Amino acid sequence: MAQIQPAARHEEHQQLSRQVAKTTTAVTVGGSLMVLSGLTLAATVIGLVVATPLLVIFSPVLVPAAITVFMILGGLLAATGFGATATFVFYWMYRYTTGKHPIGADKLDYARDRLAHAAQDIKDKAEQLGHQAQQQVKTT
């Protein structure tokens, strides 16, 4: 029994050492990040203090220039997105027409078949109603 007690103490001491190491590491990393956060805030404030007079002086030029740049970049981004989408659609259609079964082709085939069946049902119903109307006209 005397041998079990020192082993338990040793294990308890190791757990305490790990806890102290974890706490020390957390405090060190947290403190470093707080210092970096403070330095970033200070640099931002100093940058604004220096840049504000320049922004006020050049705002009649900068605001329209910023709007123009924003519109140009938005247009280029939209054109790029539309071009990429069109390229993908053409690629998908090519694979579909050549029979390579691209992703979603089975759903398209299913929808086409359902639409064809619905159109056939409507056609049959219209023919039936037309025949009924002709029969009623003949009997009257």
Side-chain angles (χ1 to χ4, degrees):
M1 189 159 207
Q3 292 177 348
I4 295 174
Q5 220 173 27
R9 275 192 190 157
H10 181 66
E11 188 176 312
E12 186 179 305
H13 181 67
Q14 280 183 336
Q15 288 178 353
L16 183 62
S17 296
R18 286 185 186 145
Q19 187 67 27
V20 168
K22 287 180 184 179
T23 305
T24 305
T25 303
V27 168
T28 304
V29 170
S32 299
L33 291 175
M34 289 297 286
V35 168
L36 285 174
S37 175
L39 290 174
T40 303
L41 178 64
T44 302
V45 170
I46 291 171
L48 281 174
V49 167
V50 170
T52 299
L54 294 174
L55 289 174
V56 169
I57 292 171
F58 293 113
S59 66
V61 174
L62 292 178
V63 171
I67 291 171
T68 304
V69 167
F70 176 74
M71 290 178 70
I72 289 171
L73 290 177
L76 288 174
L77 184 65
T80 303
F82 294 146
T85 302
T87 302
F88 176 75
V89 167
F90 285 134
Y91 176 70
W92 189 92
M93 289 186 334
Y94 170 76
R95 288 183 52 114
Y96 184 74
T97 55
T98 57
K100 294 187 176 152
H101 199 72
I103 295 173
D106 52 344
K107 290 182 182 180
L108 181 66
D109 292 337
Y110 176 73
R112 184 187 63 214
D113 290 341
R114 282 196 57 172
L115 189 60
H117 288 300
Q120 186 64 40
D121 290 343
I122 290 171
K123 179 183 173 189
D124 293 342
K125 186 69 172 177
E127 286 178 357
Q128 180 185 8
L129 290 175
H131 289 304
Q132 285 178 358
Q134 284 178 355
Q135 293 297 329
Q136 286 179 354
V137 168
K138 286 182 184 179
T139 59
T140 56

